[in-house]
């Protein structure tokens, strides 16, 4: 069906208001890319549903017209996830942005998919609760579930998959299902929560999420520790984890990245490999953890460790860390961000980061290394001149080399950003025969292949 013919638009307008179906050039452009360097491609239409029934009706129309549907949260993903390579209808969830129920006693919250993590935390604060997953961008919870996002606190609280109790999902054929329950544990049936979390909009549209939340800790202490080398910093993290210190956050920022932090956030932190740390707990336990950590980092040549209890100073510290990718973007106008994202077993982390730095230097690239090192997850941030084919080729080579290194050591090609189009080429190598099972699941749930085509498991186009 040719979408320039107005049938589809008219059909959508029978149940969506004028402002809910857009062909506006600016909105089409906004939905033709994510935050990555991947090739852009526009949708034909963008729709803004306000409830599950409307999502359902859009899916039914798309089904009848065999038109692609691309679920869209805020478009902050980094591997081309939301780019409509076959055009079609982008479903923007920004108008489904209500916190529906807070079940304080159950530590659960039910939200619509367009609620962002900071919006949720603002609401939860009134109840003395917080939601733990905090990717660098202020993403939507629907997008975060669909990518199995994680962030600085995952070392203690787990990733998005660990927080999802139940999802309401509109399937490609228009059926509405729930993937879980409110119960804390269950041995009933296949684990559909886990299947839909990380499915990147290829298996269904998430229209509601029930998520686990936590009590705001009684005491929080943050710290900044500087080391002479990245290797010393990483070895210190491994020792902290091996000693069983219940660390809530531990982030590595290398020397070039500390320079970017200081320039962008107007801070005056030491420009050396640095660990940003945080401890949550009661005062007595926390004092013990802090003292123990001081001893451990001293054994790894830590040159300075500064602790912060003041709320405002702590927030500033984490804001500076969260803004790191934006600091690189801001400091390199005209260039595009490529962030690598591998995850290795913690015992392999120091070697992996050392290997990554060697490769960056060998290729003559300019990149900073940072990571959620408590999870064995690290990133290289590269600012690329997309008009320089040599630089692009080198960046791709680097990506290949660090993925290879991770896979050879039992790691994964993506710790948190997901597959999108960028990591599809590694799926066979990482999953082997299991990829065939994934493709069968995709075909069973999306027979006509209308849901976010050419992503995660399917690659029909050769030039992506
Ligand atoms: C500066 C920066 C820092 C980042 N840091 C991190 C980080 O620390 N950790 C991390 O994990 N990620 C990080 N990311 C990546 C990104 O923020 C996450 O992948 C995030 O989860 C995407 O959420 P979104 O709302 O923007 O979703 P989008 O980008 O809009 O969509 C992402 C995927 O989810 C699907 N989707 C969206 N909504 C739905 C829905 N309702 N139903 C079904 N599918 C849906 C889309 O089709 C797409 O495949 C970072 C990105 C940036 C730009």
């Amino acid at each position: 069906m040719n979408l320039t013919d107005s049938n589809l638009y008219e059909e959508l307008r029978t149940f969506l208001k004028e402002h809910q179906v857009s062909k506006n050039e600016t909105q089409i452009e906004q939905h033709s890319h994510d935050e990555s360097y991947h090739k852009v491609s526009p949708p034909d239409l963008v729709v803004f549903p306000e409830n599950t029934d409307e999502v359902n009706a859009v899916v039914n129309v798309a089904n009848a017209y065999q038109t692609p549907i691309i679920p869209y949260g805020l478009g902050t993903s980094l591997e081309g996830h939301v780019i409509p390579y076959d055009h079609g209808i982008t479903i923007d969830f920004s108008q489904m942005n209500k916190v529906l129920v807070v079940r304080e006693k159950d530590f659960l919250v039910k939200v619509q998919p367009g609620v962002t993590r900071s919006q949720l935390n603002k609401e939860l604060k009134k109840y003395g609760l917080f939601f733990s997953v905090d990717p660098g961008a202020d993403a939507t919870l629907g997008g975060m579930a669909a990518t199995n996002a994680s962030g600085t606190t995952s070392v203690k609280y787990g990733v998005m998959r660990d927080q999802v109790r139940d999802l309401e999902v509109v399937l490609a054929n228009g059926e509405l299902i729930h993937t879980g329950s409110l119960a804390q544990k269950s041995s009933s049936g296949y684990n559909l929560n886990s299947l839909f979390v990380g499915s990147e909009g290829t298996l269904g549209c998430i229209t509601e999420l029930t998520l686990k939340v936590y009590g705001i800790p009684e005491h929080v202490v943050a710290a900044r520790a500087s080391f002479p080398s990245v290797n010393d910093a990483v070895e210190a993290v491994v020792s902290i984890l091996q000693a069983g210190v219940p660390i809530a956050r531990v982030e590595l920022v290398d020397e070039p990245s500390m320079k970017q932090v200081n320039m962008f956030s107007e801070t005056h932190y030491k420009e050396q490999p640095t660990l940003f740390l945080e401890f949550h707990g009661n005062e007595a336990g926390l004092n013990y953890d802090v003292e123990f950590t001081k001893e451990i980092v001293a054994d790894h040549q830590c040159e300075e460790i500064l602790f912060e209890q003041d709320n405002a100073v702590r927030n500033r510290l984490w804001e500076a860390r969260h803004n790191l990718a934006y600091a690189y973007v801001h400091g390199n106008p005209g260039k595009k961000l490529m962030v690598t994202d591998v995850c290795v077993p913690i015992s392999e982390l120091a070697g992996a980061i050392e290997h990554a730095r060697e490769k960056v230097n060998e290729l003559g690239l300019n990149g900073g290394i940072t990571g959620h090192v408590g999870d064995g997850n690290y990133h290289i941030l590269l600012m690329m001149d997309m008009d320089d084919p040599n630089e692009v080729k080198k960046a791709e080579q680097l990506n290949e080399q660090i993925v290879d290194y991770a896979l050879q050591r039992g790691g994964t090609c993506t710790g948190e950003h997901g597959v999108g189009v960028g990591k599809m080429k590694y799926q066979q190598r990482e999953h082997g025969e299991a990829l065939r099972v994934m493709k069968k699941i995709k075909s069973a749930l999306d027979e006509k292949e209308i849901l976010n085509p050419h992503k995660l498991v399917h690659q029909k186009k050769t030039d992506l």
Side-chain angles (χ1 to χ4, degrees):
M1 171 61 62
N2 176 8
L3 294 189
T4 51
D5 123 17
S6 59
N7 290 358
L8 182 80
Y9 177 83
E10 294 307 333
E11 191 132 0
L12 291 166
R13 284 282 287 110
T14 60
F15 57 90
L16 295 175
K17 295 176 221 67
E18 194 174 349
H19 69 272
Q20 291 183 278
V21 191
S22 179
K23 292 192 263 186
N24 169 288
E25 233 174 77
T26 311
Q27 281 182 333
I28 296 287
E29 193 282 326
Q30 260 172 17
H31 293 83
S32 68
H33 60 85
D34 57 6
E35 299 259 359
S36 73
Y37 60 97
H38 293 290
K39 201 171 136 186
V40 305
S41 172
D44 293 299
L45 294 169
V46 185
V47 297
F48 298 88
E50 289 168 5
N51 54 53
T52 301
D53 288 346
E54 289 179 352
V55 176
N56 202 301
V58 172
V59 171
N60 284 333
V61 171
N63 216 325
Y65 279 72
Q66 295 213 24
T67 294
I69 305 168
I70 299 88
Y72 184 100
L74 263 179
T76 67
S77 39
L78 293 168
E79 292 294 352
H81 296 67
V82 290
I83 305 175
Y85 286 110
D86 274 351
H87 315 293
I89 306 170
T90 289
I91 305 186
D92 182 314
F93 283 97
S94 58
Q95 300 310 301
M96 291 178 66
N97 59 359
K98 291 186 189 62
V99 176
L100 299 170
V101 185
V102 180
R103 293 176 65 112
E104 285 173 82
K105 288 185 182 159
D106 292 318
F107 292 90
L108 291 177
V109 63
K110 191 194 269 191
V111 295
Q112 289 187 310
V115 172
T116 65
R117 65 173 177 84
S118 63
Q119 182 194 342
L120 177 60
N121 271 324
K122 207 166 157 197
E123 180 64 22
L124 288 175
K125 207 171 174 187
K126 298 177 198 161
Y127 300 85
L129 298 170
F130 79 103
F131 179 70
S132 60
V133 186
D134 65 336
D138 187 19
T140 66
L141 293 158
M144 286 166 62
T147 53
N148 190 25
S150 45
T152 62
T153 61
S154 298
V155 63
K156 181 173 170 76
Y157 299 95
V159 301
M160 203 59 198
R161 193 166 264 133
D162 301 308
Q163 320 307 328
V164 170
R165 261 318 146 75
D166 180 40
L167 299 173
E168 180 186 82
V169 181
V170 176
L171 298 178
N173 63 5
E175 276 171 21
L176 188 70
I177 61 163
H178 277 262
T179 58
S181 71
L182 299 188
Q184 179 143 343
K185 60 184 209 178
S186 168
S187 296
S188 175
Y190 295 136
N191 190 339
L192 295 185
N193 277 346
S194 269
L195 177 62
F196 281 86
V197 174
S199 64
E200 301 185 1
T202 64
L203 298 181
C205 294
I206 301 167
T207 46
E208 264 179 31
L209 305 94
T210 301
L211 302 167
K212 200 164 147 185
V213 294
Y214 301 86
I216 294 174
E218 192 183 316
H219 278 273
V220 177
V221 175
R224 198 161 35 84
S226 314
F227 294 83
S229 75
V230 165
N231 203 43
D232 288 319
V234 175
E235 294 289 5
V237 173
V238 175
S239 299
I240 291 169
L241 293 172
Q242 282 170 346
V245 179
I247 196 105
R249 288 169 148 170
V250 55
E251 297 284 304
L252 169 74
V253 181
D254 75 349
E255 191 177 326
S257 306
M258 286 305 289
K259 289 192 175 128
Q260 297 286 339
V261 165
N262 279 341
M263 268 191 293
F264 185 74
S265 298
E266 294 176 358
T267 44
H268 302 282
Y269 302 150
K270 246 185 177 193
E271 294 180 353
Q272 274 193 321
T274 300
L275 292 179
F276 287 52
L277 303 114
E278 196 166 275
F279 306 82
H280 294 177
N282 61 40
E283 198 168 0
L286 213 129
N287 286 341
Y288 177 79
D289 293 340
V290 163
E291 287 309 313
F292 198 12
T293 302
K294 274 191 201 165
E295 285 173 29
I296 295 172
V297 296
D299 286 346
H300 292 280
Q301 286 71 51
C302 175
E303 292 181 352
E304 178 181 78
I305 182 160
L306 297 169
F307 290 89
E308 297 294 354
Q309 299 208 35
D310 178 77
N311 223 358
V313 184
R314 265 197 305 109
N315 287 344
R316 186 160 163 70
L317 183 89
W318 287 109
E319 204 178 291
R321 164 63 191 91
H322 272 129
N323 282 337
L324 179 55
Y326 293 117
Y328 270 97
V329 173
H330 196 258
N332 295 273
K335 296 206 170 188
K336 279 282 183 189
L337 177 69
M338 182 204 250
V339 194
T340 69
D341 169 42
V342 297
C343 191
V344 293
I346 197 77
S347 60
E348 300 284 354
L349 184 65
I353 293 184
E354 201 175 336
H355 167 264
R357 176 46 69 194
E358 264 171 38
K359 295 297 160 197
V360 171
N361 294 347
E362 257 172 49
L363 288 162
L365 289 164
N366 190 1
I369 298 180
T370 162
H372 313 302
V373 281
D375 303 325
N377 185 198
Y378 74 92
H379 310 297
I380 307 170
L381 289 108
L382 297 168
M383 293 311 302
M384 292 199 304
D385 177 356
M386 296 305 286
D387 295 328
D388 179 350
N390 194 30
E391 194 172 304
V392 174
K393 197 169 151 209
K394 281 182 182 177
E396 282 167 358
Q397 239 174 306
L398 175 70
N399 210 356
E400 293 267 343
Q401 287 170 341
I402 68 155
V403 168
D404 262 347
Y405 188 96
L407 294 183
Q408 278 167 24
R409 284 155 185 82
T412 174
C413 71
T414 168
E416 57 182 20
H417 295 164
V419 177
V421 287
K423 294 284 170 74
M424 266 197 306
K425 60 183 165 195
Y426 306 119
Q427 294 301 289
Q428 182 65 46
R429 212 180 317 163
E430 179 164 343
H431 300 293
E433 272 304 284
L435 183 61
R436 200 174 45 78
V437 177
M438 292 188 206
K439 287 185 174 183
K440 281 194 166 181
I441 293 172
K442 166 73 176 167
S443 306
L445 290 179
D446 183 17
E447 227 178 317
K448 296 181 185 167
E449 292 186 29
I450 57 171
L451 278 167
N452 207 4
H454 312 302
K455 311 287 163 57
L456 211 154
V457 289
H458 278 209
Q459 188 174 19
K460 281 184 281 174
K461 291 201 173 218
T462 51
D463 60 342
L464 299 180

